[in-house]
Amino acid sequence: MKCINIENVKMFMSAFLMKENFDRYFLCEAEIVTFNRFTIDGHVQKKFYSEKEYEDMGSPLWSTWGRIRPLCFEMIKGSRTPLKFKIVLRLNDEEMEKMLKEQELPYRIEDIGGLYLNFVYENHMLNCITGSSINVFTMDKSLERVWDMRVEKELSMY
């Protein structure tokens, strides 16, 4: 777990809310506080779709950030900055699998509960806190180190 301070908040928020940079991630949850507190649970409501529609979507557990991003943009945009927000994203399984192979990590996809980005904005400061969840007991921290370095590199331009 690593806390990364995002120095250029304006530049990052522009990319985060208006570009596809993070659209490959799933949204786990979002809480945005402006004139109201808005809470989004990223779990897909399977019953909303027909069985065929849900299967055609790939039977996702979470909505993608790309699908929810326009809604969050509508809540955040304007001349006033939010009082605070917390947005939790999860790396999709395909990207996780690719990372495991590229880095030759000793894990199977089933061993990993998730790799997370927790974006927290409060008091005009924006931080990204990395997180990892492993479903098996291990003393090995290689996955966490690789994930932290990947996120640091991805966010270094901000």
Side-chain angles (χ1 to χ4, degrees), residues 26-143:
F26 291 119
L27 174 73
C28 296
E29 63 183 77
E31 180 181 49
I32 300 168
V33 182
T34 56
F35 62 92
N36 281 97
R37 180 182 308 269
F38 300 95
T39 305
I40 300 171
D41 176 353
H43 285 92
V44 172
Q45 299 301 307
K46 182 179 175 180
K47 291 180 181 181
F48 181 77
Y49 301 99
S50 72
E51 198 170 306
K52 172 134 178 51
E53 285 174 317
Y54 187 67
E55 287 174 12
D56 288 347
M57 290 170 46
S59 305
L61 297 177
W62 293 283
S63 292
T64 62
W65 172 243
R67 180 148 191 197
I68 303 298
R69 179 171 45 86
L71 300 170
C72 292
F73 176 68
E74 284 299 315
M75 288 182 250
I76 292 174
K77 76 176 183 180
S79 59
R80 294 183 181 178
T81 58
L83 297 174
K84 65 181 178 176
F85 68 73
K86 178 180 178 186
I87 297 173
V88 180
L89 303 179
R90 179 188 185 275
L91 187 64
N92 70 54
D93 289 350
E94 287 176 12
E95 291 281 328
M96 229 184 300
E97 186 85 56
K98 183 178 170 187
M99 188 178 80
L100 292 175
K101 286 179 183 171
E102 285 175 355
Q103 299 295 319
E104 299 177 354
L105 294 169
Y107 295 96
R108 298 172 302 144
I109 196 73
E110 305 83 40
D111 296 339
I112 304 170
L115 297 174
Y116 300 94
L117 299 175
N118 299 276
F119 292 102
V120 180
Y121 176 81
E122 193 167 16
N123 298 323
H124 305 287
M125 292 182 60
L126 178 60
N127 292 302
C128 176
I129 301 149
T130 63
S132 59
S133 171
I134 301 175
N135 297 331
V136 295
F137 176 76
T138 181
M139 297 294 285
D140 179 29
K141 299 291 184 191
S142 60
L143 176 65

Side-chain angles (χ1 to χ4, degrees), residues 4-35:
I4 302 163
N5 179 264
I6 298 172
E7 302 212 8
N8 194 331
V9 176
K10 187 174 183 173
M11 179 196 227
F12 174 80
M13 290 306 295
S14 175
F16 189 60
L17 293 171
M18 297 190 302
K19 296 181 182 168
E20 298 175 357
N21 299 22
F22 293 89
D23 284 2
R24 70 186 181 275
Y25 289 87
F26 291 119
L27 174 73
C28 296
E29 63 183 77
E31 180 181 49
I32 300 168
V33 182
T34 56
F35 62 92

